[in-house]
Amino acid sequence: MKRKFTWLLSLTLVLSVFLAACSGGDDKGSKGSDKPAENKDVEQVLNLINGDAIPSMDPSKATDEYGFQFLGATMEGLYRLGKDAKVEPGIAKSHEVSKDGLTWTFKLREDAKWSNGDPVTANDFVYAWQRAVNPDTGSEYGPYMMGGVIKNATEINKGEKKVEELGVKAEDDHTLVVELANPTAYFESLTTFGTFLPLNQKFVEEKGDKFATSSDTLLSNGPFVLENWESTAQKWNLAKNDTYWDADTVKLEKINYVVVKDAQTMVDLYEKGEVDRASLSSDLVDQYSSHEDYTIKADNSVFYLKINETRNKALANKNIRAAISRAFDKESLVNTILNNGSLVANGLIPAKFTPMPDGSGDFREVSGDLVKYDTAAAKEFWEKGLKELGTKSVEIEFLGGDTDVSKTMNEYLANQLQTNLPGLKVTLKQVPFEQRLDLDKNQDYDLQLAGWGPDYLDPYTFLSLWITDGGNNKMGYSNPEYDKLLEETTTTLATDNEARYQNFLKAEKILFDDAAIAPVYQRAGAFLSSPKIQGLIDNPFGPTYEYKWVSMGSAE
Protein backbone atom coordinates (compact mmCIF):
# COMPACT_ATOMS: atom_id res chain seq x y z
CA MET A 1 0.00 0.00 0.00
CA LYS A 2 2.36 -2.26 1.58
CA ARG A 3 1.91 -1.21 2.12
CA LYS A 4 2.64 0.98 2.16
CA PHE A 5 2.42 0.95 1.65
CA THR A 6 2.38 0.57 2.74
CA TRP A 7 2.64 3.52 5.03
CA LEU A 8 0.95 2.26 4.03
CA LEU A 9 1.73 6.48 6.17
CA SER A 10 -1.47 4.70 7.17
CA LEU A 11 -3.34 6.73 9.75
CA THR A 12 -6.81 5.26 9.38
CA LEU A 13 -8.70 2.69 11.36
CA VAL A 14 -11.46 2.02 8.86
CA LEU A 15 -10.90 -1.61 8.09
CA SER A 16 -12.35 -1.41 4.60
CA VAL A 17 -9.28 0.35 3.30
CA PHE A 18 -6.44 -1.16 1.39
CA LEU A 19 -2.63 -1.91 1.46
CA ALA A 20 -0.24 -3.07 -1.34
CA ALA A 21 2.89 -4.72 -2.93
CA CYS A 22 5.88 -4.46 -5.35
CA SER A 23 8.13 -6.52 -7.87
CA GLY A 24 9.38 -7.29 -11.61
CA GLY A 25 9.49 -9.85 -14.47
CA ASP A 26 9.95 -10.70 -18.13
CA ASP A 27 7.82 -9.69 -21.10
CA LYS A 28 5.63 -12.74 -21.51
CA GLY A 29 2.39 -10.88 -21.01
CA SER A 30 0.39 -10.15 -17.90
CA LYS A 31 -0.61 -13.17 -15.88
CA GLY A 32 -0.79 -11.77 -12.37
CA SER A 33 -3.42 -14.25 -11.28
CA ASP A 34 -5.01 -17.42 -12.54
CA LYS A 35 -7.43 -15.83 -15.00
CA PRO A 36 -11.03 -16.59 -14.06
CA ALA A 37 -13.36 -17.59 -16.81
CA GLU A 38 -15.02 -14.45 -18.06
CA ASN A 39 -18.79 -14.48 -17.62
CA LYS A 40 -20.10 -12.22 -20.35
CA ASP A 41 -23.61 -12.36 -18.87
CA VAL A 42 -22.42 -10.62 -15.68
CA GLU A 43 -21.97 -6.86 -15.72
CA GLN A 44 -18.28 -6.11 -15.20
CA VAL A 45 -18.88 -3.44 -12.57
CA LEU A 46 -17.54 -3.55 -9.02
CA ASN A 47 -19.02 -1.40 -6.24
CA LEU A 48 -16.79 -0.63 -3.26
CA ILE A 49 -16.54 1.47 -0.11
CA ASN A 50 -13.66 3.79 0.72
CA GLY A 51 -13.09 4.97 4.26
CA ASP A 52 -12.56 8.62 3.35
CA ALA A 53 -11.72 11.01 0.53
CA ILE A 54 -8.46 10.61 -1.40
CA PRO A 55 -6.03 13.23 -0.02
CA SER A 56 -3.71 13.30 -3.06
CA MET A 57 -3.26 11.70 -6.47
CA ASP A 58 0.17 13.25 -7.03
CA PRO A 59 2.73 10.39 -7.02
CA SER A 60 5.39 12.72 -5.62
CA LYS A 61 3.20 13.92 -2.77
CA ALA A 62 0.98 10.97 -1.81
CA THR A 63 1.75 9.64 1.67
CA ASP A 64 -1.26 7.55 2.56
CA GLU A 65 -2.96 4.25 1.91
CA TYR A 66 -5.80 5.74 -0.12
CA GLY A 67 -3.55 7.69 -2.45
CA PHE A 68 -1.28 4.74 -3.19
CA GLN A 69 -4.26 2.44 -3.77
CA PHE A 70 -5.68 4.65 -6.52
CA LEU A 71 -2.30 5.50 -7.96
CA GLY A 72 -1.70 1.77 -8.29
CA ALA A 73 -4.99 1.32 -10.13
CA THR A 74 -4.58 4.23 -12.55
CA MET A 75 -0.84 4.20 -13.18
CA GLU A 76 1.99 1.80 -13.86
CA GLY A 77 5.69 1.90 -13.11
CA LEU A 78 8.49 -0.26 -14.40
CA TYR A 79 6.83 -3.32 -12.83
CA ARG A 80 3.69 -4.20 -10.87
CA LEU A 81 2.83 -6.96 -8.41
CA GLY A 82 0.79 -9.96 -9.45
CA LYS A 83 -0.42 -13.06 -7.67
CA ASP A 84 1.64 -14.14 -4.63
CA ALA A 85 3.64 -10.89 -4.92
CA LYS A 86 5.25 -12.11 -8.11
CA VAL A 87 6.70 -9.28 -10.18
CA GLU A 88 4.85 -8.86 -13.46
CA PRO A 89 5.76 -6.76 -16.52
CA GLY A 90 4.83 -3.10 -16.41
CA ILE A 91 6.32 -0.39 -18.57
CA ALA A 92 9.61 -2.31 -18.42
CA LYS A 93 9.93 -5.42 -20.58
CA SER A 94 13.18 -6.52 -18.95
CA HIS A 95 16.25 -5.25 -17.13
CA GLU A 96 19.92 -6.01 -16.61
CA VAL A 97 22.02 -5.41 -13.50
CA SER A 98 25.77 -4.74 -13.48
CA LYS A 99 28.07 -7.13 -11.59
CA ASP A 100 28.56 -4.64 -8.77
CA GLY A 101 24.77 -4.26 -8.41
CA LEU A 102 24.91 -0.48 -8.88
CA THR A 103 23.71 0.01 -12.46
CA TRP A 104 20.27 -1.17 -13.60
CA THR A 105 19.32 -0.85 -17.27
CA PHE A 106 15.61 -1.16 -18.07
CA LYS A 107 14.22 -1.81 -21.54
CA LEU A 108 10.80 -0.16 -21.89
CA ARG A 109 7.95 -1.33 -24.07
CA GLU A 110 7.16 0.75 -27.13
CA ASP A 111 3.38 0.31 -26.97
CA ALA A 112 2.78 2.04 -23.62
CA LYS A 113 0.70 5.23 -23.82
CA TRP A 114 -0.72 7.89 -21.56
CA SER A 115 -4.49 8.32 -21.57
CA ASN A 116 -4.08 11.41 -23.79
CA GLY A 117 -2.30 9.31 -26.43
CA ASP A 118 1.27 10.42 -25.67
CA PRO A 119 3.85 7.61 -25.55
CA VAL A 120 5.32 6.67 -22.15
CA THR A 121 9.07 7.21 -22.42
CA ALA A 122 12.19 6.85 -20.29
CA ASN A 123 12.18 10.62 -19.77
CA ASP A 124 8.84 10.31 -17.96
CA PHE A 125 10.64 8.31 -15.27
CA VAL A 126 13.62 10.67 -15.16
CA TYR A 127 11.34 13.69 -14.72
CA ALA A 128 9.16 12.02 -12.06
CA TRP A 129 12.07 10.75 -9.97
CA GLN A 130 13.89 14.07 -10.13
CA ARG A 131 10.69 15.83 -9.11
CA ALA A 132 10.25 13.50 -6.14
CA VAL A 133 13.65 14.34 -4.63
CA ASN A 134 13.68 18.02 -5.60
CA PRO A 135 13.35 19.95 -2.30
CA ASP A 136 11.11 22.49 -4.06
CA THR A 137 8.47 19.77 -4.54
CA GLY A 138 8.10 19.14 -0.82
CA SER A 139 7.72 15.39 -1.23
CA GLU A 140 7.84 13.26 1.93
CA TYR A 141 8.16 9.91 0.18
CA GLY A 142 10.72 10.96 -2.44
CA PRO A 143 13.57 11.45 0.04
CA TYR A 144 12.34 8.51 2.15
CA MET A 145 12.11 5.99 -0.69
CA MET A 146 15.02 7.19 -2.83
CA GLY A 147 17.47 8.48 -0.24
CA GLY A 148 20.42 6.09 0.12
CA VAL A 149 19.05 4.07 -2.81
CA ILE A 150 19.27 6.23 -5.96
CA LYS A 151 22.66 7.88 -6.44
CA ASN A 152 22.73 11.49 -5.15
CA ALA A 153 19.07 11.46 -4.03
CA THR A 154 19.90 12.45 -0.45
CA GLU A 155 22.34 15.16 -1.50
CA ILE A 156 19.84 16.64 -3.95
CA ASN A 157 17.08 16.78 -1.36
CA LYS A 158 19.44 18.57 1.04
CA GLY A 159 20.25 21.14 -1.66
CA GLU A 160 23.85 19.97 -1.95
CA LYS A 161 23.57 18.83 -5.58
CA LYS A 162 21.46 19.68 -8.61
CA VAL A 163 18.44 17.54 -9.52
CA GLU A 164 20.10 16.73 -12.86
CA GLU A 165 22.73 14.77 -10.92
CA LEU A 166 20.22 12.16 -9.75
CA GLY A 167 21.33 8.67 -10.80
CA VAL A 168 18.71 8.21 -13.50
CA LYS A 169 18.92 8.98 -17.22
CA ALA A 170 17.13 8.25 -20.47
CA GLU A 171 19.62 6.63 -22.82
CA ASP A 172 16.89 6.79 -25.45
CA ASP A 173 13.09 6.84 -25.40
CA HIS A 174 12.91 3.19 -24.37
CA THR A 175 16.09 2.67 -22.34
CA LEU A 176 16.25 3.83 -18.71
CA VAL A 177 19.56 3.62 -16.83
CA VAL A 178 19.51 3.85 -13.02
CA GLU A 179 22.59 4.24 -10.83
CA LEU A 180 22.21 3.21 -7.21
CA ALA A 181 23.99 4.70 -4.22
CA ASN A 182 24.51 1.21 -2.81
CA PRO A 183 23.59 -2.31 -3.89
CA THR A 184 19.92 -2.70 -2.96
CA ALA A 185 18.57 -6.23 -2.95
CA TYR A 186 14.94 -5.11 -2.97
CA PHE A 187 15.26 -2.41 -5.65
CA GLU A 188 13.20 -4.34 -8.21
CA SER A 189 10.26 -4.37 -5.81
CA LEU A 190 10.73 -0.66 -5.09
CA THR A 191 10.03 0.15 -8.73
CA THR A 192 6.42 -1.00 -8.28
CA PHE A 193 5.78 1.60 -5.57
CA GLY A 194 3.81 4.81 -6.18
CA THR A 195 6.72 7.19 -5.67
CA PHE A 196 8.55 5.57 -8.62
CA LEU A 197 5.70 6.05 -11.10
CA PRO A 198 6.40 8.06 -14.29
CA LEU A 199 4.94 11.48 -15.04
CA ASN A 200 4.25 13.22 -18.34
CA GLN A 201 6.36 16.37 -17.92
CA LYS A 202 4.49 18.51 -20.46
CA PHE A 203 1.12 17.70 -18.89
CA VAL A 204 2.26 18.26 -15.30
CA GLU A 205 3.82 21.62 -16.12
CA GLU A 206 0.80 22.73 -18.14
CA LYS A 207 -1.52 22.04 -15.19
CA GLY A 208 0.81 23.67 -12.67
CA ASP A 209 -0.68 23.91 -9.15
CA LYS A 210 -3.89 22.26 -10.38
CA PHE A 211 -2.10 19.04 -11.35
CA ALA A 212 -3.63 15.94 -9.67
CA THR A 213 -6.42 17.90 -7.97
CA SER A 214 -9.27 16.50 -10.10
CA SER A 215 -9.97 13.95 -12.80
CA ASP A 216 -9.43 16.64 -15.45
CA THR A 217 -5.90 17.29 -14.22
CA LEU A 218 -4.75 13.67 -14.19
CA LEU A 219 -3.21 11.37 -16.80
CA SER A 220 -3.23 7.59 -16.55
CA ASN A 221 -0.94 4.96 -18.02
CA GLY A 222 -2.35 2.04 -16.02
CA PRO A 223 -5.37 -0.28 -16.16
CA PHE A 224 -7.94 2.34 -15.10
CA VAL A 225 -8.65 6.06 -15.24
CA LEU A 226 -10.10 8.04 -12.33
CA GLU A 227 -13.42 9.73 -13.15
CA ASN A 228 -15.70 12.19 -11.34
CA TRP A 229 -13.07 12.93 -8.72
CA GLU A 230 -11.79 15.99 -6.90
CA SER A 231 -9.96 16.17 -3.59
CA THR A 232 -13.13 16.45 -1.46
CA ALA A 233 -15.25 13.98 -3.46
CA GLN A 234 -17.36 11.46 -1.55
CA LYS A 235 -18.13 9.44 -4.69
CA TRP A 236 -16.00 8.65 -7.75
CA ASN A 237 -15.23 5.78 -10.08
CA LEU A 238 -12.47 4.00 -11.95
CA ALA A 239 -13.14 3.22 -15.60
CA LYS A 240 -11.22 0.85 -17.83
CA ASN A 241 -8.38 2.63 -19.63
CA ASP A 242 -8.65 1.65 -23.29
CA THR A 243 -5.23 3.17 -24.06
CA TYR A 244 -3.48 0.88 -21.56
CA TRP A 245 -0.94 -1.39 -23.29
CA ASP A 246 -2.49 -4.50 -21.69
CA ALA A 247 -6.13 -3.40 -21.89
CA ASP A 248 -7.23 -6.81 -23.23
CA THR A 249 -6.36 -8.34 -19.85
CA VAL A 250 -8.56 -5.89 -17.92
CA LYS A 251 -12.11 -7.26 -17.58
CA LEU A 252 -13.71 -4.74 -15.23
CA GLU A 253 -15.39 -1.88 -17.07
CA LYS A 254 -15.94 0.23 -13.98
CA ILE A 255 -15.31 0.33 -10.22
CA ASN A 256 -17.63 2.66 -8.30
CA TYR A 257 -16.61 4.08 -4.91
CA VAL A 258 -18.56 5.76 -2.13
CA VAL A 259 -17.15 7.13 1.13
CA VAL A 260 -18.75 5.52 4.18
CA LYS A 261 -17.41 5.79 7.72
CA ASP A 262 -20.09 4.01 9.72
CA ALA A 263 -19.75 0.21 9.94
CA GLN A 264 -23.49 -0.50 10.17
CA THR A 265 -24.12 1.65 7.09
CA MET A 266 -21.48 -0.36 5.22
CA VAL A 267 -23.25 -3.62 6.05
CA ASP A 268 -26.65 -2.18 5.19
CA LEU A 269 -25.36 -1.21 1.75
CA TYR A 270 -23.93 -4.71 1.29
CA GLU A 271 -27.20 -6.38 2.31
CA LYS A 272 -29.04 -4.20 -0.21
CA GLY A 273 -26.63 -5.25 -2.93
CA GLU A 274 -25.37 -1.69 -3.44
CA VAL A 275 -21.74 -2.57 -2.63
CA ASP A 276 -19.79 -5.77 -3.16
CA ARG A 277 -17.58 -5.61 -0.07
CA ALA A 278 -18.06 -4.25 3.45
CA SER A 279 -15.86 -4.31 6.52
CA LEU A 280 -17.27 -5.44 9.84
CA SER A 281 -16.75 -3.66 13.14
CA SER A 282 -16.30 -5.83 16.25
CA ASP A 283 -19.96 -5.61 17.28
CA LEU A 284 -20.98 -6.94 13.86
CA VAL A 285 -18.47 -9.79 13.56
CA ASP A 286 -20.37 -12.20 15.84
CA GLN A 287 -23.59 -11.41 14.01
CA TYR A 288 -22.13 -12.10 10.57
CA SER A 289 -19.36 -14.66 11.24
CA SER A 290 -21.62 -17.48 10.03
CA HIS A 291 -22.64 -15.54 6.90
CA GLU A 292 -21.66 -17.35 3.70
CA ASP A 293 -19.83 -14.22 2.47
CA TYR A 294 -17.82 -13.73 5.69
CA THR A 295 -14.06 -13.62 5.26
CA ILE A 296 -10.97 -12.49 7.18
CA LYS A 297 -7.99 -10.82 5.52
CA ALA A 298 -4.63 -11.00 7.28
CA ASP A 299 -2.38 -7.98 7.01
CA ASN A 300 1.23 -6.84 7.47
CA SER A 301 0.18 -3.44 8.78
CA VAL A 302 1.23 -2.61 12.34
CA PHE A 303 -0.49 0.05 14.43
CA TYR A 304 1.18 1.89 17.28
CA LEU A 305 0.99 5.03 19.36
CA LYS A 306 3.20 7.77 17.99
CA ILE A 307 4.53 9.82 20.90
CA ASN A 308 5.52 13.33 19.88
CA GLU A 309 8.52 14.41 21.96
CA THR A 310 8.53 18.01 20.71
CA ARG A 311 5.19 19.58 21.67
CA ASN A 312 4.47 18.33 25.19
CA LYS A 313 7.22 18.54 27.81
CA ALA A 314 5.96 15.44 29.60
CA LEU A 315 6.32 13.28 26.49
CA ALA A 316 9.96 14.27 26.15
CA ASN A 317 10.48 12.24 29.33
CA LYS A 318 11.53 8.66 28.60
CA ASN A 319 9.86 7.22 31.71
CA ILE A 320 6.54 8.85 30.87
CA ARG A 321 6.71 7.34 27.39
CA ALA A 322 7.66 3.94 28.80
CA ALA A 323 4.67 4.09 31.13
CA ILE A 324 2.26 4.92 28.31
CA SER A 325 3.57 2.05 26.17
CA ARG A 326 2.70 -0.49 28.91
CA ALA A 327 -0.55 0.94 30.22
CA PHE A 328 -3.22 -0.48 27.90
CA ASP A 329 -4.64 -3.99 27.53
CA LYS A 330 -3.93 -5.11 23.96
CA GLU A 331 -5.57 -8.52 24.29
CA SER A 332 -8.92 -6.97 25.14
CA LEU A 333 -8.47 -4.49 22.34
CA VAL A 334 -7.94 -7.09 19.60
CA ASN A 335 -10.40 -9.65 21.02
CA THR A 336 -13.25 -7.34 21.95
CA ILE A 337 -12.95 -3.99 20.20
CA LEU A 338 -11.55 -5.24 16.88
CA ASN A 339 -12.71 -8.89 17.03
CA ASN A 340 -11.53 -9.44 13.46
CA GLY A 341 -8.42 -11.63 13.62
CA SER A 342 -5.99 -8.81 14.44
CA LEU A 343 -2.99 -9.76 16.58
CA VAL A 344 -1.40 -8.13 19.61
CA ALA A 345 1.80 -6.29 18.62
CA ASN A 346 4.72 -6.24 21.05
CA GLY A 347 7.25 -5.00 18.52
CA LEU A 348 7.38 -3.08 15.26
CA ILE A 349 8.16 -5.66 12.56
CA PRO A 350 5.00 -7.72 11.91
CA ALA A 351 4.75 -11.47 12.46
CA LYS A 352 5.21 -13.71 9.42
CA PHE A 353 6.48 -10.78 7.36
CA THR A 354 10.08 -11.80 6.70
CA PRO A 355 12.26 -14.74 7.78
CA MET A 356 15.78 -14.33 9.11
CA PRO A 357 18.26 -15.00 6.27
CA ASP A 358 20.26 -17.40 8.45
CA GLY A 359 17.22 -19.67 8.80
CA SER A 360 16.81 -19.07 12.54
CA GLY A 361 13.11 -18.27 12.15
CA ASP A 362 10.66 -15.45 11.57
CA PHE A 363 12.06 -12.00 12.43
CA ARG A 364 9.30 -11.31 14.95
CA GLU A 365 9.90 -14.62 16.73
CA VAL A 366 13.65 -14.04 16.93
CA SER A 367 13.30 -10.43 18.11
CA GLY A 368 10.61 -11.43 20.62
CA ASP A 369 8.23 -9.34 22.70
CA LEU A 370 9.85 -5.96 23.33
CA VAL A 371 7.07 -4.15 25.19
CA LYS A 372 4.03 -5.82 26.74
CA TYR A 373 0.97 -4.73 28.70
CA ASP A 374 2.13 -4.50 32.33
CA THR A 375 0.29 -2.16 34.70
CA ALA A 376 2.77 -2.63 37.55
CA ALA A 377 5.72 -1.69 35.34
CA ALA A 378 3.69 1.15 33.80
CA LYS A 379 2.97 2.71 37.20
CA GLU A 380 6.62 2.38 38.24
CA PHE A 381 7.80 4.20 35.13
CA TRP A 382 4.99 6.73 35.57
CA GLU A 383 5.98 7.61 39.14
CA LYS A 384 9.63 8.02 38.10
CA GLY A 385 8.62 10.27 35.25
CA LEU A 386 6.34 12.45 37.39
CA LYS A 387 9.11 12.84 39.96
CA GLU A 388 11.60 13.88 37.27
CA LEU A 389 9.09 16.40 35.93
CA GLY A 390 8.29 17.70 39.40
CA THR A 391 4.55 17.28 38.98
CA LYS A 392 1.68 15.05 40.09
CA SER A 393 -0.36 15.30 36.90
CA VAL A 394 0.04 15.33 33.13
CA GLU A 395 -2.33 16.41 30.37
CA ILE A 396 -2.02 15.10 26.81
CA GLU A 397 -4.06 15.43 23.64
CA PHE A 398 -4.86 12.21 21.79
CA LEU A 399 -5.26 12.69 18.03
CA GLY A 400 -7.56 10.18 16.36
CA GLY A 401 -9.75 9.56 13.34
CA ASP A 402 -13.47 10.30 13.16
CA THR A 403 -14.72 7.00 11.78
CA ASP A 404 -16.99 4.68 13.74
CA VAL A 405 -14.24 2.16 14.51
CA SER A 406 -11.65 4.88 15.17
CA LYS A 407 -13.80 6.58 17.79
CA THR A 408 -14.34 3.34 19.69
CA MET A 409 -10.62 2.61 19.59
CA ASN A 410 -9.64 6.12 20.66
CA GLU A 411 -12.03 6.11 23.61
CA TYR A 412 -10.82 2.70 24.76
CA LEU A 413 -7.14 3.69 24.68
CA ALA A 414 -7.76 7.04 26.37
CA ASN A 415 -9.74 5.33 29.14
CA GLN A 416 -7.06 2.66 29.64
CA LEU A 417 -4.30 5.26 29.93
CA GLN A 418 -6.25 7.42 32.39
CA THR A 419 -7.27 4.40 34.48
CA ASN A 420 -3.81 2.85 34.74
CA LEU A 421 -1.76 6.05 35.05
CA PRO A 422 -3.02 8.11 38.04
CA GLY A 423 -2.84 11.83 37.39
CA LEU A 424 -3.08 11.55 33.61
CA LYS A 425 -5.78 13.46 31.75
CA VAL A 426 -6.36 12.60 28.08
CA THR A 427 -8.29 14.91 25.78
CA LEU A 428 -9.51 13.38 22.53
CA LYS A 429 -9.22 15.26 19.24
CA GLN A 430 -11.02 13.28 16.52
CA VAL A 431 -10.77 14.63 12.98
CA PRO A 432 -11.17 13.51 9.33
CA PHE A 433 -8.37 11.54 7.70
CA GLU A 434 -6.91 14.35 5.58
CA GLN A 435 -6.77 16.66 8.58
CA ARG A 436 -4.94 13.99 10.55
CA LEU A 437 -2.31 13.79 7.82
CA ASP A 438 -1.78 17.56 8.00
CA LEU A 439 -1.53 17.55 11.80
CA ASP A 440 0.94 14.68 11.68
CA LYS A 441 3.03 16.39 8.99
CA ASN A 442 3.25 19.54 11.10
CA GLN A 443 3.86 17.57 14.33
CA ASP A 444 0.80 19.30 15.77
CA TYR A 445 -0.25 16.52 18.15
CA ASP A 446 0.82 14.86 21.41
CA LEU A 447 -0.23 11.26 20.95
CA GLN A 448 -1.86 9.50 18.02
CA LEU A 449 -2.71 6.00 16.89
CA ALA A 450 -0.92 5.50 13.58
CA GLY A 451 -0.15 2.55 11.35
CA TRP A 452 2.34 1.50 8.72
CA GLY A 453 2.07 -1.01 5.91
CA PRO A 454 5.31 -2.17 4.25
CA ASP A 455 6.47 -0.68 0.95
CA TYR A 456 8.77 -3.63 0.15
CA LEU A 457 9.76 -6.96 1.68
CA ASP A 458 12.52 -5.91 4.09
CA PRO A 459 12.61 -4.75 7.75
CA TYR A 460 14.11 -1.46 6.60
CA THR A 461 10.67 -0.39 5.34
CA PHE A 462 9.53 -0.18 8.99
CA LEU A 463 12.69 0.68 10.89
CA SER A 464 13.73 3.54 8.59
CA LEU A 465 10.66 5.47 9.79
CA TRP A 466 12.47 6.57 12.93
CA ILE A 467 15.77 7.78 11.49
CA THR A 468 16.59 11.25 12.84
CA ASP A 469 14.74 13.94 10.85
CA GLY A 470 13.37 11.27 8.50
CA GLY A 471 10.43 12.27 6.35
CA ASN A 472 8.05 9.99 8.25
CA ASN A 473 9.49 10.45 11.75
CA LYS A 474 7.36 13.50 12.60
CA MET A 475 7.68 13.04 16.36
CA GLY A 476 11.16 14.30 17.20
CA TYR A 477 12.73 10.92 17.96
CA SER A 478 16.50 10.74 17.53
CA ASN A 479 19.17 8.22 18.53
CA PRO A 480 22.64 8.32 16.85
CA GLU A 481 23.28 4.63 17.52
CA TYR A 482 19.95 3.72 15.91
CA ASP A 483 20.78 5.90 12.89
CA LYS A 484 24.20 4.27 12.53
CA LEU A 485 22.80 0.74 12.60
CA LEU A 486 20.26 1.59 9.88
CA GLU A 487 22.83 3.42 7.76
CA GLU A 488 25.14 0.39 7.83
CA THR A 489 22.39 -1.81 6.37
CA THR A 490 22.41 0.33 3.22
CA THR A 491 26.17 0.91 2.96
CA THR A 492 28.92 -1.29 4.44
CA LEU A 493 26.57 -4.23 5.04
CA ALA A 494 24.44 -3.80 1.90
CA THR A 495 25.58 -7.12 0.39
CA ASP A 496 25.67 -9.08 3.68
CA ASN A 497 22.04 -9.86 4.42
CA GLU A 498 22.71 -11.86 7.59
CA ALA A 499 24.68 -8.95 9.07
CA ARG A 500 21.97 -6.50 7.95
CA TYR A 501 19.33 -8.44 9.87
CA GLN A 502 21.47 -8.49 13.02
CA ASN A 503 21.55 -4.69 12.78
CA PHE A 504 17.79 -4.66 12.36
CA LEU A 505 17.37 -6.72 15.54
CA LYS A 506 19.58 -4.31 17.49
CA ALA A 507 17.83 -1.26 16.07
CA GLU A 508 14.36 -2.51 16.96
CA LYS A 509 15.49 -3.14 20.55
CA ILE A 510 16.88 0.41 20.80
CA LEU A 511 13.57 1.83 19.53
CA PHE A 512 11.72 0.24 22.43
CA ASP A 513 14.43 0.78 25.02
CA ASP A 514 13.91 4.46 24.20
CA ALA A 515 10.12 4.02 24.40
CA ALA A 516 9.85 5.89 21.12
CA ILE A 517 6.55 4.30 20.11
CA ALA A 518 4.01 2.01 21.77
CA PRO A 519 3.00 -1.00 19.62
CA VAL A 520 -0.70 -1.86 19.69
CA TYR A 521 -1.77 -4.44 17.10
CA GLN A 522 -1.08 -6.10 13.76
CA ARG A 523 -4.11 -5.56 11.57
CA ALA A 524 -6.50 -8.02 10.07
CA GLY A 525 -9.94 -7.30 8.66
CA ALA A 526 -13.29 -9.04 8.80
CA PHE A 527 -15.43 -8.53 5.70
CA LEU A 528 -18.53 -9.48 3.85
CA SER A 529 -17.27 -9.99 0.30
CA SER A 530 -19.29 -10.99 -2.75
CA PRO A 531 -18.38 -14.36 -4.27
CA LYS A 532 -18.81 -12.68 -7.66
CA ILE A 533 -15.41 -11.01 -7.20
CA GLN A 534 -12.89 -13.24 -8.97
CA GLY A 535 -9.14 -12.82 -9.33
CA LEU A 536 -8.71 -10.21 -6.59
CA ILE A 537 -5.11 -9.98 -5.37
CA ASP A 538 -4.25 -8.92 -1.82
CA ASN A 539 -0.83 -7.32 -1.94
CA PRO A 540 1.55 -7.79 1.03
CA PHE A 541 2.85 -4.25 0.50
CA GLY A 542 2.20 -1.30 -1.83
CA PRO A 543 -1.45 -0.81 -2.96
CA THR A 544 -3.60 -3.03 -0.77
CA TYR A 545 -5.51 -4.57 -3.65
CA GLU A 546 -4.77 -5.21 -7.32
CA TYR A 547 -7.78 -4.97 -9.64
CA LYS A 548 -6.09 -5.43 -13.00
CA TRP A 549 -6.95 -9.13 -13.12
CA VAL A 550 -10.37 -8.96 -11.40
CA SER A 551 -13.59 -9.97 -13.09
CA MET A 552 -17.17 -10.32 -11.91
CA GLY A 553 -18.52 -13.83 -12.25
CA SER A 554 -21.63 -15.74 -11.23
CA ALA A 555 -22.31 -16.00 -7.49
CA GLU A 556 -23.30 -19.63 -7.96
Side-chain angles (χ1 to χ4, degrees), residues 263-265 267-268 271 279-295 336 338-340 526-528:
Q264 183 61 59
T265 302
V267 172
D268 291 344
E271 294 279 39
S279 71
L280 298 171
S281 57
S282 58
D283 58 320
L284 294 171
V285 168
D286 292 337
Q287 180 180 347
Y288 287 94
S289 59
S290 60
H291 194 289
E292 60 182 355
D293 296 347
Y294 178 80
T295 183
T336 304
L338 292 176
N339 191 26
N340 60 6
F527 296 88
L528 294 178

Side-chain angles (χ1 to χ4, degrees), residues 395-400 414 418 424-430 446-447:
E395 295 185 13
I396 62 174
E397 181 183 85
F398 189 117
L399 174 63
Q418 291 184 140
L424 174 63
K425 180 181 178 182
V426 179
T427 301
L428 287 174
K429 182 175 182 177
Q430 302 179 120
D446 289 341
L447 195 70

Side-chain angles (χ1 to χ4, degrees), residues 144 304 348 452 460-467 470 472-473 482:
Y144 165 68
Y304 43 81
L348 176 61
W452 190 260
Y460 192 84
T461 188
F462 286 96
L463 293 166
S464 60
L465 297 174
W466 316 120
I467 292 172
N472 292 291
N473 189 318
Y482 183 89

Side-chain angles (χ1 to χ4, degrees), residues 6 67 98 133 146 151 155 159 167 202-203 214 269 293 295 361 552:
T6 321
S98 62
V133 298
M146 297 184 186
K151 183 179 178 181
E155 293 81 356
K202 181 181 177 182
F203 183 86
S214 68
L269 290 172
D293 296 347
T295 183
M552 301 299 287

Side-chain angles (χ1 to χ4, degrees), residues 58 131 236 279 329 549:
D58 185 335
R131 182 174 182 265
W236 61 84
S279 71
D329 187 345
W549 293 281

Side-chain angles (χ1 to χ4, degrees), residues 302-305 322-348 364 368-375 409 412-413 416-417 420 449 512 517-522:
V302 175
F303 283 73
Y304 43 81
L305 295 178
I324 289 172
S325 68
R326 292 163 173 79
F328 51 92
D329 187 345
K330 306 175 194 179
E331 287 286 351
S332 293
L333 185 149
V334 300
N335 293 333
T336 304
I337 293 182
L338 292 176
N339 191 26
N340 60 6
S342 293
L343 305 172
V344 165
N346 291 319
L348 176 61
R364 180 74 272 131
D369 293 331
L370 299 180
V371 56
K372 299 175 69 174
Y373 171 55
D374 186 336
T375 55
M409 179 79 71
Y412 171 81
L413 289 169
Q416 282 278 294
L417 293 175
N420 293 322
L449 182 61
F512 292 107
I517 60 173
V520 183
Y521 69 97
Q522 181 174 339

